[in-house]
């Protein structure tokens, strides 16, 4: 064989060898196999009580339901980088249909179902990566069943709507179309909590939960359980409504987070029907987060008959059903009335007053509720320490027997003087200890005039060493009861301290604050409240 022929044979052999190895040499590879995952990240609320996109804690009323049909378009939802560096858009677009509905079979409970269908999807670049198959263009997404239970409701007086929810992704999605997780047969569990509050014409809502599912080891990134959060601002009303929501999913198997900003509008057009539209933009390249989203659909939610208002006049109900009513007519609403079916004064929380000792002084005003007494002595029995027939509260000399004409004091003896003596001065019409010490609103400071009155009390006590005082402080009903009781004690202590400073032994003085519990006048007028802001004295005697 000549040299020319041998050269040609070698050239043909080299060309055949290059042809056999070229495909493998030129194909790009990934860091591992591509395992099917559930790429759908659109989270929406089939009931759409306040928001279409975020659970707000406000469930459907009992017996109500809502059905919806929606078409959804997404762009750029699965990007994969090969060993050569550039990213391939394995699924560049997806068109999916959703059939969903929600129903409230009983009070506080709402059930829901969602069925996604991947109508068509496609991309490019899968055939340029070793071991990567092009995803199926048609399939079924992960069907979901859900339940929500309302813990708090605004119509019942709660400050917010609050609910607990649970979604369960069931087997059935098409794995080769990236419609479900590969592991756990596609099962997913997503508990969450949701809350919202109306502020005028808008609603602020938020939800937080976790989507628990199998972990799939994808090239360059693992995909699995995620924390899901959503916040929304939506308008209220029966006409055109709008909302803006931010949905986030923080991976628990990778240090990243998926973010998507969504906006929606909805408009009713009669018969319980409404049309709606949604647009969105994703801020990350995490699988399932679209760069662009657009969705539109129609929903039907017929109005349910309003429940009978049992709280209207003449309707049979219990006080608990109608806390704003006043069933016993005592001006205290059922919700605040300790005895909602028995009329009683507001001062006794709506319960009838009782008089355990039958002395005509009701127990809440009776200082001795188990001993019959007189109203002038706050329901306590009268005592006559010196046995002169003049009760202590009227006796100017309670420890010395006297006569009624001299208010219980002994009749003065005439001095044996040859000249006529002037008649003894008449007994004082009012003892110093009968004075009520007055205080300004909210204060326990003694005025100069009250200090002079207390000087007279101190002089009287010095002249009557067997007399002891119980110093009782009182307030009007303005302000919280606990604060008033503290203020009344401060007032009684201030009087006691002043008397001690004037030379009265502390053992003869006790101080007790009663707050607003023992008024002597009506708290409905400024004059009555002024009279109730007082310190008064109760005297007692000890044997000499």
């Amino acid at each position: 064989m000549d040299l020319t022929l041998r050269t040609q044979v070698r050239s043909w052999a080299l060309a055949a060898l290059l042809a056999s190895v070229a495909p493998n040499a030129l194909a790009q590879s990934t860091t591992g196999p591509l395992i099917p995952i559930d790429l759908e990240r659109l989270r929406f609320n089939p009931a759409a009580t306040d928001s279409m996109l975020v659970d707000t804690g406000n469930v459907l009323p009992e017996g109500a339901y809502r059905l919806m049909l929606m078409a959804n378009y997404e762009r750029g939802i699965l990007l994969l980088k090969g060993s050569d560096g550039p990213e391939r858009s394995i699924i560049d677009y997806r068109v999916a249909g959703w059939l969903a509905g929600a129903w409230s079979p009983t009070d506080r409970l709402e059930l829901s179902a969602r069925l996604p269908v991947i109508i068509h999807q496609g991309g490019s670049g899968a055939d340029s990566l070793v071991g990567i198959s092009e995803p199926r263009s048609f399939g079924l997404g992960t069907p979901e069943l859900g339940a929500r239970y309302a813990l708090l409701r605004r119509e019942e007086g709660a400050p917010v709507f609050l609910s607990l929810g649970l979604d369960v992704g069931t087997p059935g999605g098409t794995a080769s179309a990236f419609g479900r997780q590969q592991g756990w047969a596609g099962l997913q569990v997503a508990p969450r909590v949701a809350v919202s509050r109306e502020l005028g014409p808008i609603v602020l809502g938020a939800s937080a939960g976790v989507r628990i599912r199998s972990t799939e080891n994808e090239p360059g990134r693992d995909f699995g359980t995620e924390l899901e959060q959503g916040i929304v601002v939506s308008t209220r009303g029966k006409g055109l409504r709008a909302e803006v929501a931010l949905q986030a999913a923080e991976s628990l198997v990778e240090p990243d987070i998926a973010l998507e900003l969504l906006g929606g509008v909805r408009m009713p057009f009669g018969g319980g029907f409404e049309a709606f539209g949604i647009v969105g933009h994703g801020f990350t390249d995490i699988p399932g987060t679209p760069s662009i989203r657009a969705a539109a659909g129609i929903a039907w939610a017929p109005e349910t008959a309003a429940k009978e208002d049992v709280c209207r006049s003449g309707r049979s109900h219990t006080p608990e059903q109608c806390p704003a009513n006043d069933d016993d007519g005592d001006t205290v609403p059922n919700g605040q009335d300790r005895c909602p079916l028995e009329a009683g004064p507001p001062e006794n929380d709506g319960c009838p007053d009782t008089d355990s000792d039958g002395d005509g002084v009701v127990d809440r005003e009776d200082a001795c509720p188990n001993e019959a007494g007189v109203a002038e002595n706050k329901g306590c029995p009268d005592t006559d320490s010196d046995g002169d027939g003049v009760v202590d509260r009227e006796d100017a000399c309670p420890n010395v027997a006297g006569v009624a004409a001299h208010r219980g004091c002994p009749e003065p003896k005439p001095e044996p003087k040859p000249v006529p003596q002037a008649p003894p001065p008449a007994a004082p019409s009012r003892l110093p200890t009968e004075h009520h010490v007055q205080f300004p609103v909210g204060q326990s400071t003694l005025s100069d005039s009250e200090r002079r009155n207390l000087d007279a009390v101190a002089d009287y006590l010095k002249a009557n060493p067997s007399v002891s005082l119980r110093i009782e402080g009182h307030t009007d009903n303005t302000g919280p009861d606990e604060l008033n009781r503290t203020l009344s004690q401060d007032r009684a202590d201030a009087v006691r301290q002043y008397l001690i400073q004037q030379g009265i032994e502390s053992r003869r003085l006790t101080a007790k604050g009663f707050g607003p519990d023992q008024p002597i006048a009506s708290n409905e007028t400024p004059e009555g409240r002024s009279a109730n802001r007082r310190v008064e004295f109760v005297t007692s005697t000890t044997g000499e």
Side-chain angles (χ1 to χ4, degrees), residues 97-233:
W98 288 82
L99 179 63
W103 170 53
S104 176
T106 185
D107 190 35
R108 294 181 179 269
L109 179 65
E110 177 187 291
L111 305 177
S112 62
R114 305 175 188 84
L115 178 62
V117 178
I118 303 169
I119 299 173
H120 189 72
Q121 63 183 4
S124 61
D127 55 356
S128 66
L129 298 174
V130 175
I132 304 300
S133 301
E134 183 177 354
R136 290 184 56 181
S137 61
F138 173 83
L140 187 66
T142 300
E144 281 193 349
L145 300 176
R148 294 194 300 161
Y149 185 79
L151 299 177
L152 299 176
R153 297 194 291 197
R154 293 280 289 142
E155 59 266 27
E156 296 176 350
V160 294
F161 287 107
L162 180 67
S163 74
L164 296 177
L166 178 66
D167 290 332
V168 178
T170 63
T174 304
S176 59
F178 289 85
R180 70 164 186 156
Q181 294 291 104
Q182 179 78 357
W184 299 1
L187 184 69
Q188 303 181 40
V189 180
R192 68 182 179 279
V193 61
V195 65
S196 68
R197 173 69 186 260
E198 312 97 329
L199 294 176
I202 67 172
V203 174
L204 301 180
S207 69
V210 57
R211 183 166 295 270
I212 304 169
R213 55 188 172 187
S214 64
T215 299
E216 310 298 351
N217 302 113
E218 295 298 335
R221 183 192 187 279
D222 291 343
F223 190 86
T225 298
E226 297 176 336
L227 296 177
E228 295 183 334
Q229 303 94 34
I231 57 174
V232 66
V233 179

Side-chain angles (χ1 to χ4, degrees), residues 1-53:
M1 181 179 297
D2 60 23
L3 180 60
T4 300
L5 180 58
R6 286 198 301 270
T7 301
Q8 289 178 342
V9 170
R10 285 198 297 268
S11 298
W12 291 339
L14 179 60
L17 178 62
L18 290 174
S20 65
V21 301
N24 289 333
L26 296 177
Q28 301 301 318
S29 63
T30 64
T31 57
L34 185 61
I35 300 174
I37 56 176
D38 182 5
L39 284 177
E40 187 55 66
R41 288 194 178 275
L42 179 61
R43 307 291 177 235
F44 63 91
N45 181 9
T49 44
D50 291 318
S51 166
M52 299 182 293
L53 299 167

Side-chain angles (χ1 to χ4, degrees), residues 7 157 273 472 482-483 511:
T7 301
F273 287 94
E472 298 183 347
E482 191 61 31
L483 180 61

